[in-house]
Amino acid sequence: MQLDGKRLEIIRTPGHLLIEGGPGSGKTTIALLATKEYLDALEPGQRVLFLSFSRAAVRQISDRMSGVLPRRAQELLEVRTFHAFFMDLVRSHGRLLTGVPASFITPDQEKRLRADFDGEWPEERRRLAGQGRYVFDELAPAAAALLEKSGAVRDLYADMYPTVIVDEFQDTNTDQWRAVKMFSARSRVICLADPDQRIYDYVPGVDARRIHYAVEHLRPRRFDLSGDNHRSPSGGLLDYANAVLRNTPHARPDAVKTISYQPGYGRPPVEAYAHYAVTALGRYLAEEVGGQPTIAVLARENAFLGRISEKIAAEGRLGEHVLPAVEHDLVFDAELSAAAGYVVASVLEWPGLPRAEALTRTLQAVGDFYRIKYSNGTRGARDTVRTLDNAITAVGAGKTAKAKTAKVLAGAYDAGIQLSGQPVSDWQKARALLAGSVELSELFKQARMLRMLKATDLLAWTLAEAWDATSYADAAAAIRRALGQEYLNGSQQEAADVSLMSIHRSKGKEFDGVVIVEGTYSSRLLDASWDDKRTDEARRLLRVAITRARHTVVLVRPADAIPLTPPARDGN
């Protein structure tokens, strides 16, 4: 990055800063350089706090530090997610709010509680917080309240963090903004923002006027880097993405390729075209970047991405093209897959348990899986939960349960399961018993997805420790602890060269190439039936997707898809 006059001014300007700019404009890098000037003035125990939204963003920022700051300076920069930082704050000082030590309810536990609760869940969440029991969405309100109500806590954290950098500031919600305001009284606050990258308007508390509020309250020195693009400076991607955002005429640049497919019976499915796009883009970029490229496959819906994942995981064909299997990560909401894993683990406990207890534990785990599905909005899941609860009551009373799932599991228990102490083969054997009913088949599919979490080794180690010669004692509890810790800490495993994820999850990341896939009836990018608000949101999301790429974007779309921009004046 060339430190022009504007960037040198940012580095030299004291006080609160608001740095605005699009993807690749260098907001993060210049903010890091701006803090470097003040690191020598830090006293022992003081650090610069960098807050972002996702673990992936935190990892990326941590990686970027190594190219910007010397090692000593890196050690003085603490990069955290809002959730992780607020959790530590509430864990340390939550007693001041409630009089009792704070405890935390994991997302899967919250969904089970919510499924069994008939009243207004937000009110129940607040009631639990009043008892010192916090779900994730109550951490920010609690942290903000601590900083507002306790001068001692506020002063302690201001002394610890004399400079606070807030990434993706435009997406902060009301409670996160409350905490930032408390810091701003004594700490220097640097806000990094891109108004056009606001894609979380549906989240309660996120406000389109957040930047306006910051200007009013902080009175920051404001810098605009929106005209700069260091991520893909020569390919025209940012200009094209901005044209998509504003629906203005723009010729499609060479860095944007389109694959159009004809949907219909007897024709190759869209997943085959996605497979072709990934392999072709990989070959092209290998020459472009002179090595192994990173590629993201993006779509709007997780279920659609799951189908693409299954397709590209095996060798395939598209016309005369032979498509090799693609090793990849599927980045998705793992709660359902983890819940399915707890069911498999409960089956591994069977040889060491009496029949009624073994079946009860497994049926409870199946019920918890469907509680999560109900909390995710799946219709009919609550009826399934009630049916399973009735089956648990029947099994406990020594009666025959009427539910098909209970009958199938009872038959499997009675037939016996022979375990060898080899965690991988035993896991597969237990997982294979999830068949014979609609509910169990759904569980089987979700349990298979655990491989996408890169959790295979973790599960094997956990089960090896639980093996007691005939069964896996308390396997479900052990797997729950292991996967829960993995969820909180984030996997430290190296990411695959090809990643599949929703467009929302791609925010804050960058790749050599991006494949954006649109289905015929699902995962649409644009739809003529949408109102202006939903269309505007979709266009902001598309801008995020396109600007994840450093070099090339491939669009895989139905032949009748709505054009992303009007035709350019030259007709291209």
Side-chain angles (χ1 to χ4, degrees):
M1 177 184 291
Q2 296 298 317
L3 293 180
D4 55 18
K6 183 186 295 184
R7 285 172 171 76
L8 287 172
E9 188 178 2
I10 292 173
I11 291 173
R12 295 166 180 164
T13 299
H16 303 318
L17 301 180
L18 171 59
I19 306 174
E20 297 173 89
S25 62
K27 300 186 299 295
T28 302
T29 300
I30 200 63
L32 293 174
L33 289 173
T35 63
K36 178 183 175 183
E37 299 296 307
Y38 294 88
L39 292 177
D40 289 340
L42 293 179
E43 298 177 3
Q46 289 186 324
R47 300 166 71 84
V48 171
L49 177 63
F50 195 120
L51 292 174
S52 194
F53 282 91
S54 68
R55 295 189 298 273
V58 165
R59 285 195 294 272
Q60 189 173 74
I61 293 160
S62 299
D63 291 342
R64 191 171 299 173
M65 282 194 304
S66 61
V68 176
L69 301 176
R71 180 172 295 278
R72 156 127 180 96
Q74 294 176 46
E75 293 171 353
L76 296 174
L77 187 65
E78 184 174 324
V79 187
R80 308 287 301 278
T81 64
F82 278 101
H83 268 137
F85 178 73
F86 289 157
M87 178 178 283
D88 283 351
L89 197 159
V90 174
R91 176 183 284 120
S92 299
H93 307 287
R95 187 190 292 268
L96 296 174
L97 293 176
T98 63
V100 297
S103 62
F104 304 102
I105 299 170
T106 60
D108 64 312
Q109 290 174 317
E110 180 189 359
K111 289 189 173 183
R112 292 196 299 272
L113 291 171
R114 183 177 180 179
D116 289 335
F117 186 74
D118 289 325
E120 293 294 326
W121 181 245
E123 293 181 7
E124 177 65 6
R125 273 185 357 205
R126 288 189 287 272
R127 187 189 70 80
L128 292 170
Q131 298 176 344
R133 300 175 61 203
Y134 298 95
V135 303
F136 269 28
D137 285 343
E138 291 299 320
L139 289 174
L146 279 166
L147 292 170
E148 289 169 343
K149 295 179 179 180
S150 173
V153 171
R154 188 164 59 248
D155 291 344
L156 172 66
Y157 279 83
D159 286 339
M160 290 172 61
Y161 305 109
T163 296
V164 179
I165 304 173
V166 185
D167 195 25
E168 303 287 2
F169 178 76
Q170 74 280 350
D171 287 328
T172 52
N173 65 26
T174 302
D175 297 308
Q176 290 160 344
W177 170 228
R178 287 168 58 201
V180 171
K181 283 196 293 186
M182 290 300 99
F183 271 115
S184 70
R186 285 189 50 196
S187 300
R188 183 191 192 205
V189 172
I190 301 176
C191 299
L192 312 181
D194 179 2
D196 290 330
Q197 206 167 180
R198 199 185 71 253
I199 60 174
Y200 293 107
D201 283 356
Y202 62 90
V203 175
V206 174
D207 192 324
R209 291 173 57 79
R210 183 69 64 220
I211 293 174
H212 170 76
Y213 301 147
V215 171
E216 280 191 335
H217 183 84
L218 301 178
R219 306 287 181 186
R221 183 71 184 277
R222 198 168 183 176
F223 293 91
D224 185 1
L225 304 180
S226 58
D228 299 338
N229 176 20
H230 299 280
R231 180 176 299 166
S232 54
S234 60
L237 289 175
L238 181 58
D239 289 342
Y240 180 70
N242 286 335
V244 172
L245 171 69
R246 298 176 176 89
N247 195 25
T248 55
H250 196 287
R252 181 165 50 83
D254 291 339
V256 178
K257 318 292 184 184
T258 298
I259 297 175
S260 182
Y261 65 92
Q262 289 285 352
Y265 180 75
R267 299 180 185 274
V270 58
E271 294 85 358
Y273 287 92
H275 195 171
Y276 170 74
V278 172
T279 55
L281 181 59
R283 288 194 299 269
Y284 170 76
L285 286 175
E287 296 183 9
E288 183 81 6
V289 304
Q292 183 64 45
T294 57
I295 295 174
V297 181
L298 307 180
R300 288 181 63 103
E301 298 175 8
N302 287 326
F304 185 52
L305 287 164
R307 296 199 299 272
I308 295 173
S309 173
E310 290 186 3
K311 187 70 174 178
I312 71 175
E315 184 178 292
R317 294 188 68 91
L318 182 64
E320 72 277 13
H321 301 286
V322 176
L323 308 176
V326 177
E327 185 175 345
H328 63 281
D329 285 342
L330 176 60
V331 183
F332 64 107
D333 188 342
E335 291 170 348
L336 273 176
S337 294
Y342 306 151
V343 177
V344 177
S346 75
V347 173
L348 292 172
E349 298 174 353
W350 281 4
L353 297 174
R355 184 178 191 272
E357 184 178 354
L359 292 176
T360 295
R361 288 191 183 189
T362 299
L363 287 169
Q364 286 173 338
V366 175
D368 287 344
F369 174 88
Y370 281 94
R371 285 180 171 87
I372 292 175
K373 282 185 72 71
Y374 172 73
S375 295
N376 287 346
T378 302
R379 293 180 179 178
R382 198 165 201 183
D383 291 338
T384 301
V385 171
R386 292 193 184 101
T387 299
L388 291 166
D389 285 346
N390 291 335
I392 291 170
T393 300
V395 169
K399 300 178 181 178
T400 300
K402 296 180 180 179
K404 185 173 183 180
T405 293
K407 290 180 180 179
V408 170
L409 291 173
Y413 179 89
D414 292 340
I417 178 172
Q418 299 298 318
L419 304 177
S420 64
Q422 299 298 316
V424 174
S425 60
D426 286 344
W427 179 273
Q428 293 170 342
K429 188 180 295 185
R431 189 181 64 189
L433 297 180
L434 303 181
S437 74
V438 172
E439 291 80 13
L440 292 176
S441 296
E442 171 68 14
L443 275 160
F444 178 82
K445 288 190 294 185
Q446 287 292 340
R448 285 185 61 203
M449 299 288 279
L450 277 172
R451 64 189 173 87
M452 297 299 181
L453 292 178
K454 300 280 185 167
T456 306
D457 289 342
L458 175 68
L459 295 176
W461 295 332
T462 303
L463 291 175
E465 292 179 354
W467 176 249
D468 67 357
T470 59
S471 69
Y472 294 88
D474 295 321
I479 293 296
R480 188 183 298 277
R481 286 192 298 271
L483 289 180
Q485 195 63 37
E486 187 81 348
Y487 178 89
L488 288 174
N489 293 338
S491 175
Q492 300 302 311
Q493 197 159 357
E494 192 71 25
D497 296 317
V498 177
S499 301
L500 277 63
M501 68 190 74
S502 71
I503 300 176
H504 279 94
R505 283 185 178 271
S506 74
K507 188 176 179 185
K509 305 176 179 68
E510 57 183 72
F511 308 88
D512 292 317
V514 167
V515 178
I516 305 171
V517 189
E518 179 175 9
T520 308
Y521 305 108
S522 62
S523 205
R524 299 304 299 262
L525 299 179
L526 293 172
D527 195 300
S529 66
W530 293 347
D531 60 21
D532 289 346
K533 182 175 183 295
R534 186 173 180 186
T535 299
D536 289 345
E537 291 171 351
R539 289 187 175 278
R540 284 201 299 272
L541 200 60
L542 276 165
R543 180 180 183 267
V544 168
I546 294 167
T547 55
R548 298 310 91 201
R550 286 188 284 263
H551 298 280
T552 307
V553 171
V554 179
L555 295 160
V556 180
R557 308 191 70 204
D560 63 351
I562 297 173
L564 299 188
T565 63
R569 290 182 178 85
D570 62 2
N572 292 332

